[in-house]
Amino acid sequence: MRPLDVGIGMCAAILAVGVLAGPAHAEEQGRATDLRAAGWSLKETGTTARFRGLAAVSRTTAWVAGSKGTVLRTLDGGRSWQDVSPPSAVAEQLELRDIEAFDARRAVALSIGEGEASRVLRTEDGGATWAETFRNPDPRAFYDCLTFFDARHGLAMSDPVDGKFRILATDDGGRHWRVLPGEGMPEALPGEAGFAASGQCLVSAGPRDVWLATGGGASARVLHSADRGRTWRVAESTVPAGDPARGVFALAFRDRTRGLAVGGDYRAGQASPQAAAVSSDGGRTWSGATTPPPAYRSGAAWYPYSGGTALAVGPTGTDVTTDGGRNWRPLDAGSFDTVDCAPDTGCWAAGEKGRVARLERR
């Protein structure tokens, strides 16, 4: 959906690394991790860009992407950052809202906007050079988010064209893209779109399952595909919608059955009383959180190797759950737009005014 203010846009910017942030074998048996002794440690980035794209590779390596074509990378846990911005994105002041990284050298970034402003860029050398691998030719399309199932297979999503969400697919790590047929996509609701707020309106888990979050319509819905985006089924969430500023802004799936949805009303000062929901059946049904976050949240991530611990972030703070999303409590009051956790439990958050932080023990 089209941006509604500086930095907030319909549908998504950066989930970081579906290929790296998937469930691990120990997670099934793990206990919930209590993060009371942990908090965000801000890392100086030297920029004022707003970062809605984030890819957590490890505790030491992370990528962020944001406004004015900015991409930064750290290899030392945030002590220093390299400006690896694509020159073309900087020159055209593109809004980079999502980035997916496979490792310290390979990453795919998405810029949002109408028509040709929606592009995909890819690097294989740590950002030293970038190749533009897709430029949207359709003025009706507006791409919002990326996700990858593995190092080869990935999808991007656009707000509805001709009444249906449009899905773009790659089978070679983002080097080439094609639009998938729309026959298996349900009709969109009037006014329905995605939010380009955190790169988490399109997320995947495992080799074939992918979920798409919506808002702006009469209800906030979650669409699920079990065949890499060819066919979809749709379910209503409990997150309020009915307004262009309300809906599900981010999804996080720990595996193909257990998922979280967060969102609300992104406008400052507006109440978001039911800002989180949980699913235990792959998104077929959703239940509202018993104790939801107190305000709008734009990003979410599961904490690795933990039975039910997850984080949710937004402009007014961070919340944590240890029971799979049923109850949330405040963790930090700082502003962030997106959050991602790597398999080695390296969790990162990013947001406005160049803010990037790593979760650390106090």
Side-chain angles (χ1 to χ4, degrees):
M1 189 181 288
R2 282 51 176 163
L4 301 178
D5 69 353
V6 178
I8 294 247
M10 287 292 260
C11 182
I14 115 189
L15 187 272
V17 208
V19 64
L20 293 176
H25 60 85
E27 199 169 8
E28 289 292 336
Q29 305 297 327
R31 293 182 178 179
T33 301
D34 190 339
L35 298 177
R36 293 180 191 274
W40 293 118
S41 174
L42 287 171
K43 309 299 180 181
E44 178 58 47
T45 61
T47 180
T48 59
R50 186 163 197 168
F51 294 120
R52 294 184 182 275
L54 168 65
V57 176
S58 68
R59 287 188 57 79
T60 56
T61 302
W63 301 67
V64 290
S67 57
K68 301 180 181 179
T70 307
V71 178
L72 304 183
R73 183 188 65 158
T74 183
L75 302 176
D76 57 10
R79 289 192 296 274
S80 63
W81 294 86
Q82 299 170 307
D83 186 339
V84 296
S85 305
S88 61
V90 174
E92 298 189 52
Q93 302 282 284
L94 296 180
E95 283 287 328
L96 299 175
R97 295 291 184 90
D98 201 352
I99 189 165
E100 307 290 328
F102 307 111
D103 49 40
R105 296 184 60 79
R106 298 175 298 159
V108 178
L110 173 74
S111 72
I112 68 162
E114 297 178 346
E116 291 190 354
S118 286
R119 305 178 195 180
V120 178
L121 304 168
R122 188 179 190 276
T123 182
E124 297 183 7
D125 54 14
T129 60
W130 293 83
E132 181 182 298
T133 59
F134 173 77
R135 181 179 296 205
N136 172 37
D138 191 335
R140 302 169 300 168
F142 186 108
Y143 285 87
D144 304 298
C145 306
L146 286 168
T147 191
F148 275 83
F149 303 93
D150 52 44
R152 292 177 54 207
H153 302 94
L155 302 177
M157 61 81 68
S158 165
D159 289 338
V161 177
D162 294 331
K164 294 183 178 181
F165 286 95
R166 177 172 286 182
I167 302 298
L168 195 67
T170 180
D171 296 326
D172 59 7
R175 295 176 179 86
H176 301 89
W177 297 84
R178 69 189 185 281
V179 175
L180 294 183
E183 288 81 359
M185 176 66 71
E187 293 287 334
L189 301 174
E192 189 176 29
F195 291 96
S198 63
Q200 296 175 322
C201 61
L202 184 72
V203 303
S204 56
R208 307 190 68 83
D209 288 273
V210 59
W211 296 263
L212 188 160
T214 83
S219 62
R221 307 196 298 173
V222 177
L223 284 66
H224 171 236
S225 170
D227 55 11
R228 290 185 185 154
R230 296 189 176 276
T231 60
W232 299 78
R233 65 167 184 266
V234 63
E236 291 191 7
S237 76
T238 59
V239 176
D243 184 280
R246 298 176 189 158
V248 176
F249 281 69
L251 297 168
F253 271 81
R254 208 179 105 194
D255 51 38
R256 67 190 312 267
T257 60
R258 288 167 290 183
L260 302 171
V262 300
D265 190 322
Y266 80 81
R267 294 171 295 191
Q270 295 295 311
S272 296
Q274 301 173 49
V278 61
S279 176
S280 59
D281 57 9
R284 292 182 178 86
T285 60
W286 292 86
S287 301
T290 303
T291 308
Y296 156 71
R297 294 293 179 255
S298 55
W302 290 95
Y303 190 81
Y305 314 116
S306 174
T309 302
L311 298 159
V313 301
T316 61
T318 299
D319 301 283
V320 62
T321 177
T322 55
D323 60 6
R326 291 184 294 276
N327 294 281
W328 296 82
R329 63 170 178 80
L331 180 72
D332 183 273
S335 173
F336 294 105
D337 293 315
T338 188
V339 59
D340 190 33
C341 292
D344 68 352
T345 71
C347 293
W348 297 80
E352 62 181 345
K353 299 178 181 179
R355 284 171 58 88
V356 180
R358 191 178 68 176
L359 194 67
E360 298 177 3
R361 294 287 174 180
R362 293 191 176 98

